[in-house]
Amino acid sequence: MPALMPQLKIAVLGSGKGSNFRAILSAIMAGHLRVTPVLAASDVPEAGILTLADNLGIPTTTIHEPKYRTRLSDGVEFSLVKELQASGADLIVLAGYMRLVKEPLLEAFPRRIINIHPSLLPSFPGLEAWRQALSAGVKTTGCTVHFVDSGMDTGEVIAQSQVNILPGDTPETLHARIQEAEHQLYPEVLARFARREFP
Ligand code: GAR
């Protein structure tokens, strides 16, 4: 009886311009996605997701950690876990969050942290995956939504969307087309979580 199910609450973590969060918000506002964003968190004070959330009255938090660290320090990650738990989030949605996640967060939300990555994993994990695909000379790349584990883009794949590489593609044109695919895929996957397809 979907009508009686409480709406899934999501917390979104991001470090970049926030276009995936914007696509998620658009899907919610268009009535295509029944989830409630309860917190936006970023380790970059000027990140797009904080502005988007502020404009809609969604609570925000800034994570204070030096840029060069690939993981949060223990105390900072512990505080983040506390804030995520206090927000009531059921699902943690990484949308351009550029650090690795450690045990305290993984243990607090088992199989409840997902990420979007701009390649067809397991190909091209890590930074600027679209540039890696161009350099490798492959004909097809895409994007992947996956469960997060402690590795770099290594968790179980949930869904993928394919993007063809066209003659004359540059890193910028290819990344733009991959992002269009991401903006379709992430709301679709969140809708599956909202329907409780992943107990
Ligand atoms: C997205 O393309 C996402 O796939 C990528 O960062 C971008 C964030 O864009 N994430 C990773 O590479 C994670 N390994 P956005 O801030 O506009 O949503």
Side-chain angles (χ1 to χ4, degrees), residues 52 103 124 195:
L52 286 164
E103 291 311 322
F124 312 126
R195 293 194 297 269

Side-chain angles (χ1 to χ4, degrees), residues 10-15 38-44 49-50 59-65 70-89 91-95 97-109 113 148:
I10 63 167
V12 181
L13 268 68
S15 316
V38 291
L39 185 68
S42 182
D43 53 347
V44 176
I49 70 162
L50 297 180
T60 63
T61 188
T62 304
I63 304 159
H64 297 283
E65 186 71 64
T70 52
R71 294 175 173 81
L72 299 180
S73 50
D74 289 346
V76 174
E77 182 151 320
F78 189 70
S79 305
L80 177 62
V81 169
K82 291 281 157 218
E83 284 199 69
L84 291 168
Q85 287 172 328
S87 76
L91 183 70
I92 312 303
V93 176
L94 308 191
Y97 179 69
M98 300 309 279
R99 298 189 205 237
L100 299 180
V101 172
K102 297 198 299 194
E103 291 311 322
L105 190 46
L106 293 167
E107 282 167 11
F109 295 92
I113 310 176
V148 171

Side-chain angles (χ1 to χ4, degrees), residues 15-21 49 95-98 115-118 126-130 153 175 178-179 182-183:
S15 316
K17 63 182 191 291
S19 69
N20 277 286
F21 187 40
I49 70 162
Y97 179 69
M98 300 309 279
N115 180 44
I116 191 154
H117 181 77
L127 291 178
E128 300 199 325
W130 59 92
D153 306 316
H175 188 209
I178 293 173
Q179 286 227 288
E182 291 183 333
H183 300 160

Side-chain angles (χ1 to χ4, degrees), residues 113-193:
I113 310 176
I114 62 174
N115 180 44
I116 191 154
H117 181 77
S119 75
L120 297 176
L121 291 171
S123 296
F124 312 126
L127 291 178
E128 300 199 325
W130 59 92
R131 209 180 281 277
Q132 297 183 48
L134 269 184
S135 303
V138 294
K139 297 272 183 276
T140 299
T141 183
C143 55
T144 302
V145 177
H146 63 96
F147 287 106
V148 171
D149 62 15
S150 58
M152 189 191 286
D153 306 316
T154 48
E156 179 188 329
V157 169
I158 299 168
Q160 294 186 308
S161 176
Q162 199 170 301
V163 174
N164 290 331
I165 298 183
L166 304 177
D169 255 339
T170 63
E172 291 71 29
T173 59
L174 179 58
H175 188 209
R177 282 208 315 293
I178 293 173
Q179 286 227 288
E180 282 174 25
E182 291 183 333
H183 300 160
Q184 289 285 324
L185 186 67
Y186 225 177
E188 284 170 16
V189 170
L190 287 176
R192 291 173 60 191
F193 276 90

Side-chain angles (χ1 to χ4, degrees), residues 2 5-11 24 28 33-38 87-93 111-112 114 187 189-199:
M5 274 192 312
Q7 275 209 7
L8 190 82
K9 299 190 189 91
I10 63 167
I24 292 165
I28 294 170
L33 177 59
R34 290 173 51 78
V35 302
T36 307
V38 291
S87 76
D90 304 298
L91 183 70
I92 312 303
V93 176
R111 274 176 81 80
R112 284 291 173 268
I114 62 174
V189 170
L190 287 176
R192 291 173 60 191
F193 276 90
R195 293 194 297 269
R196 307 300 198 269
E197 278 187 30
F198 301 94

